[in-house]
Each structure stands twice: as structure tokens, then as C-alpha cells.
Amino acid sequence: MKTKIFLFSLLCTYSLMAQESFSFETSVEVTSEKKIDVPFVLPKKEELGIEIKGSPYGNDGIEDEDEYLNPFSKTKKKALEGDSKAQMEMAILYLKDIDGIERNPKEAYKWYKMAALQGEAMALYALGEMHEQGKGVSIDLSKAFQWYLKSANQGVEAAILKTGKMYEKGLGIVLDYEQARKWYLELADKGNSDGFYHLGKLFFNGTGVRRD
């Protein structure tokens, strides 16, 4: 009797082990059948945590390589391609010492001049100011006047004021009160208070005009 009970127990144990083995193998097969292929996605430059100056992946699947350029490189690329606005931005970056770019007035002057030669009125004014103050170039009031005058002829109010003052004081140009009055009057016609002030001062002092 004891032998039968032992054999029965042994048979049950073997049966349970066989079921567990089958269950384990089945689960492995099911799991392997349900494998999912995850597509590889290029990481964004922000996720990499580094500054990328060019595409490290080549041109495959990338329509615009500029996407991988930092702001300074993008601006410089446009400036070198002849974009006058970008040339102005380059000059400002080199003058203001911003975005981690070392201040370099000589470089700023170079970029302003490139923009000025394309007719950018504010670049013309900036060149006049740099020559007047000796930023990136030696002080040259005659050249400063010439750049201010070109900018004034394009309607830049700050340049009109500078032109009038230089005529009034004979800086970089022969003193000419009549010309000074003309430029101050033009500034006043634009509603600029500096034009009214300097024009009034000329009349009050009787400088080059009849005193009222």
C-alpha cells in the first residue's frame, strides 16, 4: 500500500514539473513572437547637450543643413553670402561682446563697411561714429563726416543731427552755419526736438542767421 502511495505521489510531482516546464517554454515562445522593432531616430542637438557646427549625419534625410548650425554660424553664413542685415548683425555681435563672442571693433568695422557698401543707412551712420570715436579705426573726422552725410541723405535722424553739428562747429568739414541751419531745419521738419533746439539756438545767437 505504501509503495502505491509513493508511486502515485511521484507521478503527480512529475506531472506538475512537466506542466511548469511547458508553461515556461510557451511563455518564452509567445514573448519571442511578440518582439517589436523600434526604429532608430536621430537625436536632436538639444538632447545631445553639445553645440553642433555642422551635420554629423551627412545629407541623408536632412533638407536643411542650417538646422545644425549655431546662431553665430548661421548669421556669419548669411553675411558671407551677401545678406546686408546679417552683416549688420555680425558687426553688432563683435561690438557688444555678447553670445560669448570676444569684442573686436576691427571686425565690427569690416562688417559695417560691407553692409554700408550695400546701402544700409544705419551701417553708414555706424561707420561715421566709429571714425569719430576711434573705434576699430583711427580717429578721422573728415571720414566721419562723409559717412554721416551719406546716412543723413537717407533720412537717418541721428546722422542728420551729426551732420548739422559738424557743419556748425567745422568738424571734418569747413564751418558753414547756413548748411548747419539747413540740416537742423530738416530734422525739425521730422518733428525731432533736437532739430528745434539747435535751430532755435542758431536764431537766438544770431549765428549765421538774422537774430530774432
Side-chain angles (χ1 to χ4, degrees):
M1 184 66 177
K2 290 183 178 179
T3 303
K4 289 183 179 181
I5 293 173
F6 173 77
L7 290 173
F8 180 76
S9 299
L10 185 61
L11 182 61
C12 289
T13 302
Y14 177 80
S15 177
L16 287 172
M17 290 178 64
Q19 288 179 5
E20 289 178 357
S21 175
F22 176 78
S23 175
F24 174 75
E25 291 175 359
T26 303
S27 65
V28 171
E29 290 175 2
V30 171
T31 302
S32 62
E33 287 175 358
K34 292 186 177 180
K35 272 200 299 188
I36 300 174
D37 291 328
V38 179
F40 175 71
V41 179
L42 290 175
K44 295 181 180 179
K45 59 182 179 179
E46 293 82 2
E47 295 172 341
L48 294 174
I50 58 175
E51 185 177 74
I52 302 175
K53 294 186 177 180
S55 169
Y57 306 114
N59 294 323
D60 294 341
I62 299 173
E63 294 181 0
D64 187 4
E65 288 188 358
D66 286 352
E67 178 186 350
Y68 293 95
L69 297 176
N70 60 42
F72 175 78
S73 297
K74 281 185 180 180
T75 303
K76 188 173 183 178
K77 183 174 181 288
K78 289 181 180 179
L80 290 172
E81 290 172 350
D83 187 319
S84 60
K85 299 297 182 185
Q87 290 165 355
M88 291 277 290
E89 288 181 39
M90 287 294 295
I92 293 170
L93 286 172
Y94 278 117
L95 265 186
K96 301 296 184 181
D97 192 17
I98 56 179
D99 288 349
I101 300 165
E102 185 177 352
R103 187 172 183 277
N104 190 332
K106 287 185 178 180
E107 276 294 304
Y109 182 87
K110 180 186 79 174
W111 289 108
Y112 269 137
K113 191 166 186 178
M114 289 173 70
L117 292 175
Q118 294 196 68
E120 285 288 344
M122 288 308 300
L124 293 167
Y125 175 81
L127 289 175
E129 197 171 56
M130 293 184 82
H131 274 293
E132 183 183 11
Q133 299 176 8
K135 291 181 180 179
V137 290
S138 57
I139 293 177
D140 189 326
L141 295 181
S142 178
K143 287 184 178 179
F145 173 80
Q146 291 169 24
W147 289 116
Y148 281 142
L149 182 60
K150 288 178 180 180
S151 183
N153 282 325
Q154 290 198 37
V156 176
E157 294 185 15
I160 293 173
L161 178 60
K162 286 283 189 179
T163 301
K165 284 184 175 181
M166 295 186 87
Y167 267 123
E168 182 184 0
K169 298 178 181 179
L171 299 174
I173 190 67
V174 176
L175 186 147
D176 190 328
Y177 291 122
E178 181 60 29
Q179 281 294 321
R181 183 189 68 80
K182 169 196 163 187
W183 287 105
Y184 289 148
L185 182 59
E186 183 172 331
L187 193 59
D189 285 343
K190 291 178 176 291
N192 190 299
S193 59
D194 285 325
F196 288 109
Y197 171 77
H198 288 284
L199 193 60
K201 195 168 69 170
L202 284 180
F203 277 99
F204 181 79
N205 294 327
T207 309
V209 294
R210 183 174 61 83
R211 183 172 181 175
D212 288 334

